[in-house]
Amino acid sequence: MTGPRVAGLRPSDVLASFDGPLGAYVHIPFCEWICPFCPYNKVLARLGLAADYFAALLTEIDMYGAGPFTSLYVGGGTPTLYPQHLAEVLPRIPVTGERAIEVLPLHGTVERLGVLKEIGFTAVSIGAQSFHDPVLRHLHRPHDAAQALAAVHHALDTFECVDVDLIVDVAPEEPSQHPGAFLTDVRTCFAMGVDQVSTYPLMRFGYTPFGEARHNRHREHEILAQVDALARTMGYERRSVWTFNRIGSAPYTSITRRRFLGFGAGASSFAGRDFYVNHFGLLTYMDTVRRGHPPIAKWLHLGRAAGMAYDTFWQAYSGGIDTGSLSDSYGRWARLIRPALAPLAGAGMVTREDGVYRLTARGFDQYHDIERWVTYHFIEPLWAQMLAEHKREGSHVPWAETANARSGPTWRVVERALSRRVESRAG
Ligand SMILES: C[S@@+](CC[C@H](N)C(=O)[O-])C[C@H]1O[C@@H](n2cnc3c(N)ncnc32)[C@H](O)[C@@H]1O
Ligand code: SF4
């Protein structure tokens, strides 16, 4: 696939392409139970394979010898399956700020959370999804509502910073059989005093058994507006399109870092003008690392204009676009931001104050729709392409049918344009 294209790329080249402080992301692609809605890169956990994987991961981390990082985010998959391996990873990644990890509710026990704290984690994200058993059954989750609730309670007792992930499925052909469940769950989180509630609309990836579906965007906007209204009455504020934070709580920022270096199979990195994606297939990833090469499968050289567009897009996710920071990174290109956002300001989607554009409620709704479009037009085709690596390696989850993935012309055009430049630079 794309391996030969990036064969000449050295870790020092990747590091040199970063134009500012970077966060670290580590991907642990193993789960003991595969949820049918989940698009992320993972395989069924096997003990021997995990030991080999962690050995490769440490080699990759040492290959870069980078740091200190501003923050660390460990995601998956189910990273909480392997606290003993993570204990070896953390000391190899120097971090000045937050160290966060995704926690499967089944692993949110007092003992395991205590171990995570002991090895250096400072923040956790509990993948509760819902506190209603019928909703959890609809999602085919491996835990029940009581376990999800207990995990959140234990996390609050153990960590300073706790995020809870909730999913809301409002596909029109599946009118909620559980009216009010989602809003009740949000209220529960607010009442418990969690630092952040992530309210994800269920994305239906074509290659998962949940398949493609039309979205009822108005209903989604309406539900998020209800969450926003509830937040205001319970001491919370909307800090990004899909997150609501306790007013005064420390920012939970490791997933919205402007620049990040990703380690592990399928991890991506954004350096400001360049975007890299590691091999998704575990065998290909481990083999490339063992041969002493960075395991990068895809390198898109975005350049200043597309790099700034990407940066701006993710800043907008967090509700604010800071023209000063864009100007520092992209020079005169940042002058384009004002005319580009003028129509949005005119339409009441953003307001401007001291060089920072803030999304209004209308702006958040618009962004919500664009984010979904980006997910289906860019992320899904990219991930489907990479998941084909699993198939070649014989480790794909049975239901991951890459042939069913969306692959519109937009992604193909962008990929061809940006990857061609990669070939000429790399060659
Ligand atoms: C890697 S998963 C969570 C980690 C852990 N394995 C777990 O399941 O609890 C990160 C989060 O992504 C969200 N997520 C997964 N699939 C999604 C989908 N199809 N649409 C929207 N959100 C999704 C879920 O809220 C999930 O908690
Ligand atoms: S949602 Fe979590 S547990 Fe379920 S398959 Fe995805 S990463 Fe694994």
Side-chain angles (χ1 to χ4, degrees):
M1 68 173 291
T2 46
R5 247 187 225 165
V6 292
L9 202 57
R10 292 166 304 178
S12 54
D13 298 326
V14 175
L15 289 179
S17 67
F18 277 86
D19 64 358
L22 49 153
Y25 173 76
V26 170
H27 192 75
I28 310 299
F30 298 101
C31 293
E32 281 181 335
W33 168 276
I34 305 284
C35 311
F37 60 88
C38 173
Y40 298 113
N41 189 38
K42 77 273 165 182
V43 297
L44 268 175
R46 278 184 283 137
L47 204 58
L49 187 59
D52 290 348
Y53 179 79
F54 274 93
L57 185 63
L58 292 178
T59 308
E60 186 195 9
I61 292 167
D62 291 348
M63 193 186 285
Y64 284 94
F69 294 92
T70 51
S71 63
L72 168 68
Y73 190 84
V74 180
T78 311
T80 41
L81 279 171
Y82 306 107
Q84 73 286 10
H85 285 304
L86 292 173
E88 291 177 64
V89 171
L90 262 70
R92 308 280 256 275
I93 304 181
V95 173
T96 54
E98 172 185 287
R99 288 182 293 271
I101 181 167
E102 289 173 353
V103 177
L104 182 73
L106 286 178
H107 297 159
T109 57
V110 175
E111 298 73 30
R112 199 174 298 222
L113 291 173
V115 171
L116 294 175
K117 187 171 183 180
E118 223 163 82
I119 63 180
F121 286 104
T122 61
V124 288
S125 170
I126 308 287
Q129 321 311 343
S130 174
F131 302 119
H132 284 76
D133 283 327
V135 177
L136 293 170
R137 277 197 292 275
H138 166 65
L139 294 172
H140 298 271
R141 289 288 285 173
H143 58 84
D144 63 21
Q147 286 163 326
L149 207 55
V152 178
H153 278 300
H154 297 152
L156 285 168
D157 289 343
T158 316
F159 287 93
E160 289 289 303
C161 185
V162 175
D163 162 90
V164 176
D165 287 348
L166 297 176
I167 281 186
V168 54
D169 180 5
V170 285
E173 48 273 75
E174 197 132 28
S176 175
Q177 303 138 19
H178 326 291
F182 176 69
L183 213 57
T184 310
D185 291 338
V186 175
R187 187 191 296 275
T188 301
C189 290
F190 289 165
M192 281 194 283
V194 306
D195 299 274
Q196 173 171 292
V197 188
S198 298
T199 53
Y200 296 123
L202 181 74
M203 295 286 176
R204 289 169 176 255
F205 286 74
Y207 58 78
T208 72
F210 270 67
E212 293 185 21
R214 275 187 315 109
H215 282 261
N216 185 340
R217 49 192 284 271
H218 295 300
R219 183 73 192 117
E220 287 180 357
H221 295 170
E222 205 174 276
I223 287 178
L224 288 173
Q226 286 168 353
V227 174
D228 199 6
L230 183 66
R232 287 165 202 272
T233 64
M234 295 184 75
Y236 280 75
E237 62 189 0
R238 191 173 192 173
R239 285 207 198 142
S240 84
V241 179
W242 294 328
T243 58
F244 295 83
N245 296 66
R246 190 162 46 75
I247 291 171
S249 67
Y252 180 83
T253 53
S254 44
I255 38 172
T256 48
R257 285 281 169 229
R258 284 184 70 210
R259 309 286 184 256
F260 50 90
L261 181 59
F263 302 105
S268 59
S269 305
F270 178 61
R273 292 163 211 182
D274 295 275
F275 188 78
Y276 311 91
V277 187
N278 277 356
H279 285 287
F280 273 52
L282 273 65
L283 300 182
T284 315
Y285 165 80
M286 293 191 290
D287 185 53
T288 314
V289 171
R290 273 192 216 115
R291 286 187 285 111
H293 303 299
I296 295 173
K298 200 172 269 299
W299 171 20
L300 299 181
H301 179 59
L302 307 174
R304 277 175 191 261
M308 187 176 77
Y310 181 93
D311 194 331
T312 307
F313 181 73
W314 286 113
Q315 282 200 33
Y317 175 80
S318 307
I321 301 164
D322 175 10
T323 51
S325 70
L326 291 172
S327 171
D328 290 346
S329 303
Y330 303 102
R332 61 194 167 80
W333 283 93
R335 289 192 215 140
L336 293 175
I337 294 291
R338 195 167 181 165
L341 294 184
L344 302 185
M349 292 182 194
V350 292
T351 56
R352 184 168 184 272
E353 202 180 308
D354 297 332
V356 178
Y357 287 88
R358 299 227 166 270
L359 270 69
T360 61
R362 276 193 76 187
F364 275 127
D365 282 347
Q366 192 64 34
Y367 192 99
H368 171 91
D369 296 340
I370 295 172
E371 170 76 46
R372 201 180 40 233
W373 187 89
V374 167
T375 301
Y376 290 151
H377 286 80
F378 289 96
I379 300 177
E380 175 158 349
L382 172 71
W383 285 0
Q385 209 180 64
M386 298 288 181
L387 284 174
E389 275 193 10
H390 283 309
K391 207 155 201 170
R392 278 202 296 278
E393 294 183 359
S395 61
H396 66 292
V397 284
W399 48 257
E401 266 313 323
T402 46
N404 295 341
R406 294 173 183 82
S407 79
T410 323
W411 163 247
R412 285 197 294 274
V413 169
V414 169
E415 192 204 18
R416 216 171 296 143
L418 298 171
S419 297
R420 236 198 334 262
R421 270 191 259 169
V422 169
E423 279 177 301
S424 60
R425 275 179 52 145

